[in-house]
Amino acid sequence: MKFLAITLIVHAPDPVTGARTSTTDRFREVIDNALLAEELGFDGFGVGERHERPFISSSPPVVLSHLAALTTRLRLFTAVTTLSLLDPVRAYEDYATLDHLSGGRLELIIGKGNGAAQRGLFHVTPDDQWDRNAESYELFRRIWRQDKVTADPRFRPALQDAEVWPRPLQQPIRVWHGSATSKESVDLAARYGDPLFSANVTNPIEPYAELVHYYRERWAHYGHDPTLATVGAGTAGYYAQRNSQDAIAAYRPVFDGHLAFQKRLGMEPVFPTLEDFVERSSALIGSPQQVIEKVHRYHEQFGHSVLHLHADAGGLTDAQHRASLELFQSDIAPVLRRDIPDPPWPWAPVLAEPSSPTAGGPAPAAV
């Protein structure tokens, strides 16, 4: 099993102290968390894309390019690239450039994105967002694989023998499909033989597991090798201490702060108590053994080989956050790496053969 640390770069008051950092300091936290993830042995680091409050993650290619210069080993993920809002040609140019700058360490997780404000900003409607997402992805993957592209898309100007530069380093970049609530993204992933990343953060496991099962069904329907179907999954929170009672006690102010924030927004909490949150959500809170057992329970439903944790402290102190991640890498990750297989491909750049520098052959699980 592989492990990612992911941030959506939320810029909001600390749920416990109420303090709010400057925009510059918030970006500094992201940088520090990525360096910590590499230091501790995480396999990847992801940056989300949002175009509305309270997020400042509107430009993941810029953030990830900076992280590429500061790290050497982490694979760099988007989480997610909102292709329904973007011109796929421009998105390709940004990410092909970033792929070279990172030495082929880039992976994309794409999705339609959430939020009415960002839809309005880009003049995308609920009626056309799924069509935009599918069309943008189909054009995006063609540009990544072909030196010249002719296409007449619905949502952007036509292309006639278009050359888009630079050509990518990876041949091609691996693209995951982010899935939260709908079958459209799941079917798109299965159709093209791409991996799926389940959000798995807002609700209990059941609706997410249903989508993962649907993904495997559609994967088989499209004639792909069942052994190559690949799933990643998120977590709603993480905090571990040697003693489960200490972990619960330390995390309670964090949960209470988030609960109060939801109530101020008029939202009905999915998990009204911390005990319910620990029991029924995907959050991994407790002793190392409890975390290991819960990941195994979820693996029985998802069959996932990649897991993400939140990169941000999110209400924990810096010392608590670091100690908990250190405990994950020392006591939890080794057991899960031993027990749960990795994705069915090398965790490394997907590069062209030396004799064919612009070859467009797909990766095994990105057909």
Side-chain angles (χ1 to χ4, degrees):
M1 177 169 259
K2 299 295 187 182
F3 303 102
L4 315 180
I6 285 181
T7 178
L8 302 182
I9 321 187
V10 176
H11 191 219
D14 185 286
V16 176
T17 67
R20 178 170 175 160
T21 64
S22 69
T23 299
T24 299
D25 287 343
R26 183 67 185 95
F27 281 123
R28 182 71 246 179
E29 290 175 352
V30 173
I31 295 167
D32 290 343
N33 285 329
L35 295 176
L36 178 62
E38 177 150 285
E39 174 192 339
L40 295 182
F42 280 83
D43 301 293
F45 190 88
V47 173
E49 180 180 339
R50 301 290 190 278
H51 299 272
E52 59 186 345
R53 292 177 182 267
F55 307 97
I56 53 172
S57 51
S58 58
S59 188
V62 176
V63 177
L64 289 172
S65 291
H66 188 67
L67 297 181
L70 298 175
T71 61
T72 60
R73 185 187 52 77
L74 288 171
R75 289 198 67 76
L76 303 172
F77 283 73
T78 63
V80 300
T81 296
T82 53
L83 276 184
S84 67
L85 309 179
L86 306 177
D87 180 342
V89 175
R90 190 69 187 92
Y92 164 85
E93 292 173 332
D94 284 341
Y95 285 115
T97 301
L98 172 53
D99 194 42
H100 283 278
L101 294 175
S102 67
R105 290 186 284 140
L106 177 65
E107 301 206 19
L108 296 182
I109 306 175
I110 69 158
K112 70 169 180 60
N114 294 312
Q118 65 179 12
R119 283 200 304 267
L121 189 65
F122 290 90
H123 297 281
V124 174
T125 71
D127 293 331
D128 68 19
Q129 61 186 350
W130 287 113
D131 290 340
R132 286 177 179 272
N133 185 63
E135 178 185 281
S136 292
Y137 173 60
E138 288 161 356
L139 185 54
F140 185 90
R141 75 190 310 276
R142 285 186 60 195
I143 296 171
W144 208 279
R145 288 161 170 79
Q146 299 174 15
D147 291 336
K148 294 184 178 181
V149 174
T150 296
D152 188 17
R154 174 184 170 193
F155 296 107
R156 64 144 287 131
L159 300 173
Q160 180 65 43
D161 288 332
E163 296 180 280
V164 190
W165 296 93
R167 301 309 301 152
L169 177 60
Q170 294 191 91
Q171 298 288 340
I173 187 175
R174 182 175 296 112
V175 177
W176 302 67
H177 295 250
S179 167
T181 58
S182 65
K183 292 184 175 181
E184 285 88 346
S185 57
V186 171
D187 187 81
L188 190 66
R191 186 188 320 164
Y192 286 107
D194 292 333
L196 182 75
F197 215 107
S198 174
N200 192 38
V201 295
T202 305
N203 298 300
I205 187 175
E206 288 78 14
Y208 302 113
E210 181 180 342
L211 287 174
V212 170
H213 296 328
Y214 180 72
Y215 167 69
R216 296 186 186 280
E217 291 173 3
R218 298 304 292 172
W219 182 280
H221 168 80
Y222 288 116
H224 302 304
D225 182 348
T227 64
L228 297 181
T230 305
V231 176
T235 56
Y238 163 72
Y239 185 65
Q241 287 196 30
R242 297 287 179 189
N243 182 289
S244 62
Q245 289 81 8
D246 292 338
I248 295 294
Y251 198 81
R252 190 173 296 279
V254 177
F255 177 82
D256 289 345
H258 286 298
L259 192 66
F261 180 72
Q262 291 177 15
K263 290 180 177 178
R264 287 196 299 271
L265 295 178
M267 300 169 58
E268 186 67 27
V270 176
F271 307 102
T273 68
L274 175 58
E275 288 70 23
D276 187 43
F277 182 65
V278 172
E279 175 64 27
R280 294 195 304 121
S281 82
S282 61
L284 304 174
I285 301 168
S287 68
Q289 187 58 38
Q290 287 173 320
V291 170
I292 290 168
E293 290 173 356
K294 190 168 187 179
V295 173
H296 273 289
R297 290 200 305 272
Y298 274 55
H299 180 71
E300 291 175 0
Q301 295 294 321
F302 288 168
H304 57 309
S305 55
V306 178
L307 178 74
H308 93 53
L309 304 180
H310 292 290
D312 303 310
L316 299 167
T317 67
D318 290 342
Q320 287 174 322
H321 182 52
R322 182 185 181 100
S324 182
L325 293 179
E326 288 176 342
L327 187 59
F328 183 88
Q329 289 294 356
S330 65
D331 286 40
I332 298 170
V335 177
L336 296 176
R337 290 186 194 277
R338 181 195 67 204
D339 294 349
I340 298 175
D342 286 344
W345 59 70
W347 196 258
V350 183
L351 303 180
E353 295 295 330
S355 61
S356 181
T358 59
V367 177

